[in-house]
Amino acid sequence: MSDTTEAIEQVTSLSDYINKVGKLHLTQERKLKQLNSEKQMNIYYRGQNQNFPNTLPSLIRNENYLKNEDKLINDFITKYPELFGNCQNNFDRLALMQHHQLPTRLLDLTSNPLVALYFAVERSDGNTNKNTDLIDGKIFPFTNFYDQVPLYQSLANDHFENIFSEFTSIKGNNRQFLKSPFSDEIEIESSLARLNGDDRNLVLNEVNDFYKTLNSVDAKPQTYWSNLYADIVNSSENPRDQNNLLETYEFFNKMSSTKRLYHEIKKDIGDFEAKINPLELFVPKIVTPRIIDQRIKNQRGLFMFVPFVDNNGFREDGSSVLLDSNEIQKRTQTRINILRLLSSPENSSPENQQPVTFVIPYEKKESIRAELESMGITESFIYPDPSHIAHEILKYY
């Protein structure tokens, strides 16, 4: 997403930033009143000290990493099995790997806007050649309520526009996007990341075919999958099937690659019921991790679980097309943008609202760092481990 499609907010000082964040929260409260929703609309922040052209995790920015996602994960576990002794599921394992800088499809977020500001003005470390004090920093706010424009665009990429109606029932309901690390949906996707690459691609191909079938069914005024899936979960004797949608779903569940996915899940959840909802795989989720150490606690850390984009897409005539790396990155970014926080000018239509981005001019980074330090947001607070504490002490001598 380029700057021309964003609502840019320049940040010149700590107080300026706090005022702008306060306005965001007032805007969110107004949106909730318009939705008549009792759910809490949260704001999450991602700070980047470099002007990357996107908010993709490093795994997805690197084609080779993405192709070998399962190998990265399994090799790390094999080499450091003792590190994962307290992990309870595959999401815990992914979160711990992310914590140790292994590229994963988790995107680091924080619920503390000051922590995000620290990351946006943070100095580069000794392992990089880039002087980040010569580069503008950015902060991207996200929320747990979806934006219908990028959701529709993501579906339209493969001509699945009719499926959009299946998501409308969750407007004003944040449960679709805000997840516990113990939720079945997060376990499914975390396990899919560990699945052998060929098996994972087969599962994603079949999920794409399911979307295609559902799209043809939903061309009619009603939505069918929501009702049918509820009947499947409740083991109804007379499921509300239309156009053999149940048969398509059962075929997906019987595939050997899907069964291997269920096997991987059951290593963590022995009583897992093999009834995946394919629509859950389409959208990003915000996950609150277990507090495994002081760093996550201090940083008020969360993760966005970035959804999988199949290597194969569909043309308008329904034929399959192989997507290149750039297109996969573009489509993944559009999916991430489903949870970007929008500006809300008075009386503006959804199409005219733009994702908010805070930009910290590089010449303001040093002064804002000093302001943050005076508020206790220091290197040793963000990274409370001996090496970072030692580094902070050395700065005074």
Side-chain angles (χ1 to χ4, degrees):
M1 177 175 290
S2 66
D3 289 352
T4 57
T5 62
E6 297 179 340
I8 299 295
E9 296 273 1
Q10 291 274 344
V11 172
T12 57
S13 67
L14 178 57
S15 60
D16 180 36
Y17 178 65
I18 290 172
N19 287 335
K20 286 180 166 65
V21 167
K23 289 178 182 178
L24 284 189
H25 283 271
L26 289 175
T27 299
Q28 293 297 79
E29 290 175 11
R30 187 168 67 245
K31 285 182 180 179
L32 277 179
K33 289 179 180 178
Q34 292 171 351
L35 291 170
N36 294 318
S37 174
E38 296 180 358
K39 299 293 182 182
Q40 185 172 1
M41 187 178 282
N42 303 321
I43 302 179
Y44 312 98
Y45 303 85
R46 175 169 176 79
Q48 296 181 174
N49 67 352
Q50 299 180 43
N51 190 11
F52 293 118
N54 53 51
T55 57
L56 296 173
S58 59
L59 175 84
I60 295 167
R61 291 201 305 265
N62 186 307
E63 183 178 4
N64 195 48
Y65 290 166
L66 186 57
K67 285 180 179 178
N68 294 285
E69 181 174 8
D70 60 308
K71 296 182 179 66
L72 288 174
I73 294 169
N74 294 323
D75 282 358
F76 195 88
I77 292 174
T78 299
K79 287 180 171 58
Y80 296 99
E82 68 282 356
L83 194 63
F84 301 92
N86 294 324
C87 291
Q88 298 183 20
N89 52 39
N90 279 323
F91 178 79
D92 272 0
R93 297 178 188 101
L94 285 182
L96 194 55
M97 290 178 220
Q98 178 82 357
H99 184 68
H100 286 280
Q101 326 263 291
L102 188 81
T104 74
R105 63 177 53 250
L106 302 182
L107 193 66
D108 289 292
L109 303 176
T110 175
S111 59
N112 186 335
L114 296 183
V115 170
L117 182 60
Y118 177 91
F119 287 132
V121 302
E122 184 180 25
R123 285 187 189 276
S124 55
D125 60 33
N127 296 321
T128 178
N129 294 323
K130 292 186 177 179
N131 183 351
T132 54
D133 272 3
L134 299 178
I135 303 170
D136 292 349
K138 285 190 174 184
I139 298 171
F140 304 93
F142 292 87
T143 182
N144 51 305
F145 278 69
Y146 78 87
D147 173 14
Q148 60 185 346
V149 175
L151 173 57
Y152 186 86
Q153 182 58 53
S154 293
L155 293 165
N157 284 333
D158 283 313
H159 309 286
F160 295 153
E161 295 92 338
N162 295 329
I163 297 179
F164 182 75
S165 58
E166 295 284 354
F167 291 91
T168 56
S169 63
I170 59 173
K171 188 66 176 175
N173 181 348
N174 63 3
R175 289 179 299 173
Q176 183 82 15
F177 304 105
L178 190 58
K179 299 292 184 181
S180 154
F182 304 107
S183 76
D184 285 353
E185 291 88 355
I186 295 304
E187 177 63 25
I188 290 165
E189 296 187 50
S190 301
S191 299
L192 189 55
R194 289 197 64 180
L195 207 60
N196 171 280
D198 290 337
D199 283 332
R200 182 173 64 247
N201 289 336
L202 286 172
V203 170
L204 294 175
N205 288 168
E206 196 56 39
V207 166
N208 238 18
D209 284 337
F210 174 84
Y211 295 155
K212 182 179 177 183
T213 302
L214 179 58
N215 189 70
S216 66
V217 172
D218 273 338
K220 300 176 182 179
Q222 299 88 355
T223 58
Y224 295 115
W225 174 245
S226 300
N227 293 331
L228 176 56
Y229 185 67
D231 290 342
I232 291 170
V233 170
N234 295 322
S235 302
S236 173
E237 292 183 4
N238 297 299
R240 288 165 283 184
D241 189 18
Q242 295 284 341
N243 294 52
N244 297 319
L245 190 58
L246 181 59
E247 181 180 338
T248 302
Y249 179 72
E250 288 178 341
F251 177 78
F252 162 72
N253 258 358
K254 291 176 181 177
M255 286 179 56
S256 59
S257 52
T258 308
K259 289 181 178 179
R260 280 190 278 275
L261 173 59
Y262 287 141
H263 177 72
E264 178 64 41
I265 294 167
K266 288 180 179 179
K267 291 179 184 177
D268 289 334
I269 307 176
D271 60 350
F272 179 82
E273 196 167 2
K275 294 177 180 178
I276 285 177
N277 182 352
L279 287 191
E280 286 280 357
L281 299 176
F282 194 86
V283 295
K285 321 300 189 297
I286 291 175
V287 189
T288 304
R290 290 194 303 122
I291 306 300
I292 59 175
D293 64 12
Q294 191 65 33
R295 181 190 292 193
I296 290 178
K297 183 177 181 179
N298 286 7
Q299 293 181 7
R300 298 289 293 276
L302 306 98
F303 296 109
M304 176 184 288
F305 201 108
V306 174
F308 297 85
V309 172
D310 188 16
N311 293 331
N312 293 292
F314 288 107
R315 298 186 180 92
E316 190 169 3
D317 63 4
S319 60
S320 180
V321 57
L322 185 65
L323 307 180
D324 62 21
S325 177
N326 288 336
E327 183 63 23
I328 289 173
Q329 289 186 27
K330 178 182 175 183
R331 293 190 181 198
T332 304
Q333 183 64 62
T334 304
R335 302 262 195 107
I336 290 172
N337 290 343
I338 290 170
L339 296 184
R340 283 287 298 276
L341 182 68
L342 300 179
S343 65
S344 295
E346 291 295 330
N347 303 317
S348 63
S349 64
E351 292 76 13
N352 293 327
Q353 296 177 356
Q354 297 176 328
V356 176
T357 300
F358 294 118
V359 174
I360 299 87
Y362 68 87
E363 64 270 17
K364 297 294 183 181
K365 283 186 171 182
E366 184 175 0
S367 61
I368 291 176
R369 277 198 302 269
E371 289 182 291
L372 284 171
E373 188 169 336
S374 71
M375 299 290 290
I377 309 297
T378 62
E379 179 182 2
S380 61
F381 175 81
I382 297 293
Y383 306 108
D385 59 75
S387 60
H388 283 91
I389 291 172
H391 184 262
E392 185 171 273
I393 290 171
L394 290 174
K395 290 191 299 184
Y396 294 100
Y397 300 96

